[in-house]
Amino acid sequence: AQSVTQLDSQVPVFEEAPVELRCNYSSSVSVYLFWYVQYPNQGLQLLLKYLSGSTLVKGINGFEAEFNKSQTSFHLRKPSVHISDTAEYFCAVSDRSTDKLIFGTGTRLQVFP
Amino acid sequence: GAVVSQHPSRVICKSGTSVKIECRSLDFQATTMFWYRQFPKKSLMLMATSNEGSKATYEQGVEKDKFLINHASLTLSTLTVTSAHPEDSSFYICSPQRTGITDTQYFGPGTRLTVL
């Protein structure tokens, strides 16, 4: 079975500051890793995904994440955030054999002017 | 990109009534459909997985007789909440899996159900 831990339920940050949203996972099998963003009352939008290959993955809106197998982490980063980045961010893992997504509890990123 | 629609976006109903939520993949075919439920300020929980033309597989703790899933075509799946009660109030999100592509899921915009 897989599990995902997002330790930070909320991350407040000022505009133009860098941000890192943490994600750790556990799994006994190979997985795919994802970050999704959810704006209020909307569905989920894929930010980026790690399937294989390069451990540094670049996504939309200037976000990137690094897969660290030894630390079982997939932290999301952005060097300079905007007010419009305020949203809920979900880390997820997918069992490659079933394609089921297991989500973390989410991190609320709040960007202040 | 893949376009997924859900209808209705919001619904308010009385306790004891049934509500049907439609999920459509507008520009691709989906052999598999995932239905999720999201409680306020909580993560998404997978409710069930359905394959076109087959019965849905429900996750542990999800009542199959309460949450009826129909996946009759490759572009349409429905979730019917039968005899709804206030505790069924939630945000329901569908996720069709594009046929032949297993490493990416697309999500509908969600349906906010409020049961009075």
Short mmCIF file of all heavy atoms in Angstrom, two decimals, chain A residues 1 6 13 32 39 42 53 61 64 67 78 109 112:
data_model
loop_
_atom_site.label_atom_id
_atom_site.label_comp_id
_atom_site.label_asym_id
_atom_site.label_seq_id
_atom_site.Cartn_x
_atom_site.Cartn_y
_atom_site.Cartn_z
N ALA A 1 0.84 -1.19 0.00
CA ALA A 1 0.00 0.00 0.00
C ALA A 1 0.88 1.25 0.00
O ALA A 1 2.01 1.22 0.47
CB ALA A 1 -0.91 0.00 1.23
N GLN A 6 1.88 15.11 3.65
CA GLN A 6 2.20 16.52 3.46
C GLN A 6 2.19 17.15 4.85
O GLN A 6 1.13 17.34 5.44
CB GLN A 6 1.16 17.19 2.54
CG GLN A 6 1.25 16.70 1.10
CD GLN A 6 0.24 17.39 0.20
OE1 GLN A 6 -0.71 16.78 -0.28
NE2 GLN A 6 0.46 18.68 -0.06
N VAL A 13 3.23 32.93 2.80
CA VAL A 13 4.46 33.48 2.22
C VAL A 13 4.13 34.81 1.56
O VAL A 13 3.00 35.02 1.11
CB VAL A 13 5.05 32.47 1.21
CG1 VAL A 13 4.10 32.25 0.04
CG2 VAL A 13 6.41 32.90 0.74
N TYR A 32 4.30 6.40 -9.62
CA TYR A 32 4.38 7.69 -10.28
C TYR A 32 4.07 8.74 -9.21
O TYR A 32 3.32 8.47 -8.28
CB TYR A 32 3.35 7.81 -11.40
CG TYR A 32 3.51 6.84 -12.54
CD1 TYR A 32 2.40 6.22 -13.11
CD2 TYR A 32 4.75 6.55 -13.09
CE1 TYR A 32 2.52 5.34 -14.18
CE2 TYR A 32 4.89 5.67 -14.15
CZ TYR A 32 3.76 5.07 -14.69
OH TYR A 32 3.89 4.19 -15.74
N TYR A 39 -7.89 25.32 -7.11
CA TYR A 39 -8.38 26.65 -6.77
C TYR A 39 -9.78 26.50 -6.17
O TYR A 39 -10.44 25.49 -6.40
CB TYR A 39 -8.39 27.55 -8.00
CG TYR A 39 -7.00 27.75 -8.58
CD1 TYR A 39 -6.56 27.03 -9.68
CD2 TYR A 39 -6.10 28.62 -7.97
CE1 TYR A 39 -5.28 27.19 -10.17
CE2 TYR A 39 -4.82 28.78 -8.46
CZ TYR A 39 -4.41 28.06 -9.56
OH TYR A 39 -3.14 28.20 -10.05
N GLN A 42 -13.07 24.43 -7.45
CA GLN A 42 -12.72 23.91 -8.76
C GLN A 42 -12.13 22.52 -8.61
O GLN A 42 -11.77 22.09 -7.51
CB GLN A 42 -11.73 24.83 -9.46
CG GLN A 42 -12.29 26.19 -9.82
CD GLN A 42 -11.31 27.01 -10.63
OE1 GLN A 42 -10.48 26.46 -11.36
NE2 GLN A 42 -11.41 28.32 -10.54
N GLY A 53 13.24 8.79 -15.22
CA GLY A 53 14.24 9.66 -15.83
C GLY A 53 14.74 10.73 -14.88
O GLY A 53 14.95 10.49 -13.69
N ASN A 61 3.32 27.05 -14.61
CA ASN A 61 3.31 28.19 -13.68
C ASN A 61 4.62 28.36 -12.91
O ASN A 61 4.62 28.95 -11.84
CB ASN A 61 2.16 28.07 -12.68
CG ASN A 61 0.79 28.02 -13.36
OD1 ASN A 61 0.65 28.40 -14.51
ND2 ASN A 61 -0.20 27.54 -12.64
N GLU A 64 8.46 23.54 -9.94
CA GLU A 64 9.29 22.38 -10.20
C GLU A 64 9.32 21.50 -8.97
O GLU A 64 9.00 21.95 -7.85
CB GLU A 64 10.72 22.78 -10.59
CG GLU A 64 11.49 23.48 -9.51
CD GLU A 64 12.91 23.83 -9.97
OE1 GLU A 64 13.12 24.09 -11.16
OE2 GLU A 64 13.81 23.84 -9.11
N PHE A 67 12.45 14.61 -7.32
CA PHE A 67 12.23 13.28 -6.78
C PHE A 67 13.51 12.82 -6.09
O PHE A 67 14.59 12.81 -6.69
CB PHE A 67 11.86 12.31 -7.90
CG PHE A 67 11.88 10.85 -7.51
CD1 PHE A 67 11.08 10.41 -6.46
CD2 PHE A 67 12.67 9.94 -8.18
CE1 PHE A 67 11.09 9.06 -6.09
CE2 PHE A 67 12.67 8.60 -7.82
CZ PHE A 67 11.88 8.16 -6.77
N LYS A 78 8.98 26.77 -5.91
CA LYS A 78 8.86 27.87 -6.87
C LYS A 78 9.74 29.00 -6.36
O LYS A 78 9.67 29.36 -5.19
CB LYS A 78 7.41 28.33 -7.00
CG LYS A 78 7.23 29.39 -8.10
CD LYS A 78 5.77 29.65 -8.41
CE LYS A 78 5.63 30.67 -9.55
NZ LYS A 78 4.22 30.90 -9.94
N LEU A 109 -1.42 27.03 0.30
CA LEU A 109 -0.44 28.09 0.08
C LEU A 109 -1.17 29.42 0.04
O LEU A 109 -2.08 29.62 -0.77
CB LEU A 109 0.30 27.86 -1.24
CG LEU A 109 1.28 28.96 -1.66
CD1 LEU A 109 2.42 29.08 -0.63
CD2 LEU A 109 1.85 28.69 -3.05
N PHE A 112 0.76 36.49 0.36
CA PHE A 112 0.36 37.83 0.82
C PHE A 112 1.12 38.90 0.05
O PHE A 112 2.28 38.70 -0.31
CB PHE A 112 0.64 37.98 2.31
CG PHE A 112 -0.19 37.07 3.18
CD1 PHE A 112 0.30 35.84 3.59
CD2 PHE A 112 -1.46 37.46 3.58
CE1 PHE A 112 -0.48 35.00 4.39
CE2 PHE A 112 -2.23 36.63 4.39
CZ PHE A 112 -1.74 35.40 4.78
#
